[in-house]
Amino acid sequence: MFIDPGYFPERHREFAEQFQSVSGMSIEDYYICLTYIASNVLDGKTDGKSAVYKQQALDSVPADFRDTFDKFISLETQDAAAIRHALWGDIQQSSVNSFEDAPAFTDRSFRARPFFITKDGRFMLIDPVLYFDKMMDGPLFTLLQAGSAKAEYFFQEFGYAFEASMREYLKSFYPSSTLSDRLSCPLLRAPKGGEREPSEITDG
């Protein structure tokens, strides 16, 4: 979706520039790191353990790529203090006497940074489902976490890009001819009042 010539870069060339300015790496390098961890670190190839020392992970990649990989690990990890703040904000333990006193749970922080890193440099995956979700939308959460002014806009536009990809996918099953159009899916209709109409593919 994001890797050129993916559906999103075709619609928003400035997204890659914003992502690089925030993360310090290209989208292509981001996905190299994402898939490398999934196939070489999470499956125990590094040392057979669920928790891996950061330096050990850095040493497992080529020397000329370690700086980029270090940036990726910094983007994807959070310590205990960050997790506590994400879940509890400024609420103090002494003021919580029941479940009703606790703030509503949100997984946004874990989606943005799915690894917990310890003081001695070990990091481990908090939730594998959220991590593999990043294969689809990870760069968006990177911008959101960085406080990018256009993050929410890009989230909306990602939906339209996803619809375009699904349209092409469905049309590959129902090819049209000069005699008939077997599948009609005008997902992005003519604007009314300067705004797009609601999308035709929705998450029900």
Side-chain angles (χ1 to χ4, degrees):
M1 183 67 73
F2 287 104
I3 297 176
D4 196 27
Y7 287 93
F8 205 81
E10 287 182 356
R11 290 175 174 272
H12 301 287
R13 291 290 172 183
E14 76 275 19
F15 179 82
E17 298 174 4
Q18 281 218 7
F19 180 82
Q20 181 137 11
S21 68
V22 165
S23 66
M25 68 177 72
S26 67
I27 290 179
E28 288 78 9
D29 284 343
Y30 175 86
Y31 274 102
I32 288 172
C33 295
L34 195 72
T35 54
Y36 175 79
I37 283 188
S39 60
N40 291 276
V41 178
L42 298 183
D43 66 356
K45 288 182 181 177
T46 302
D47 66 353
K49 299 179 180 179
S50 58
V52 179
Y53 281 99
K54 178 180 178 180
Q55 189 58 52
Q56 191 176 15
L58 291 174
D59 291 341
S60 70
V61 301
D64 60 351
F65 195 71
R66 285 173 191 163
D67 182 58
T68 299
F69 196 40
D70 189 25
K71 292 176 181 176
F72 175 83
I73 293 175
S74 297
L75 278 175
E76 301 297 309
T77 56
Q78 55 183 320
D79 60 17
I83 292 176
R84 187 211 177 281
H85 188 268
L87 294 176
W88 292 90
D90 296 326
I91 297 176
Q92 299 301 313
Q93 184 176 356
S94 58
S95 64
V96 179
N97 300 309
S98 66
F99 285 113
E100 287 72 22
D101 297 330
F105 174 77
T106 174
D107 62 9
R108 176 173 284 192
S109 174
F110 300 131
R111 287 185 178 278
R113 297 177 181 269
F115 288 94
F116 166 57
I117 190 165
T118 62
K119 291 182 179 180
D120 62 359
R122 286 175 294 172
F123 68 95
M124 60 199 74
L125 187 60
I126 298 171
D127 188 318
V129 174
L130 296 183
Y131 181 77
F132 285 105
D133 279 351
K134 292 179 76 73
M135 299 286 182
M136 174 66 75
D137 56 17
L140 291 172
F141 279 94
T142 299
L143 287 190
L144 189 67
Q145 189 80 358
S148 170
K150 297 191 70 174
E152 296 290 350
Y153 166 75
F154 282 132
F155 262 99
Q156 173 183 307
E157 291 301 305
F158 175 78
Y160 292 119
F162 180 77
E163 289 175 357
S165 70
M166 289 299 98
R167 177 179 58 191
E168 295 303 316
Y169 177 74
L170 291 172
K171 279 187 173 292
S172 69
F173 285 93
Y174 302 97
S176 300
S177 68
T178 55
L179 298 178
S180 65
D181 187 359
R182 299 180 63 195
L183 178 68
S184 179
C185 46
L187 300 177
L188 299 180
R189 291 169 287 182
K192 289 184 178 180
E195 296 182 0
R196 283 177 171 148
E197 291 188 51
S199 57
E200 293 185 0
I201 292 182
T202 58
D203 184 359

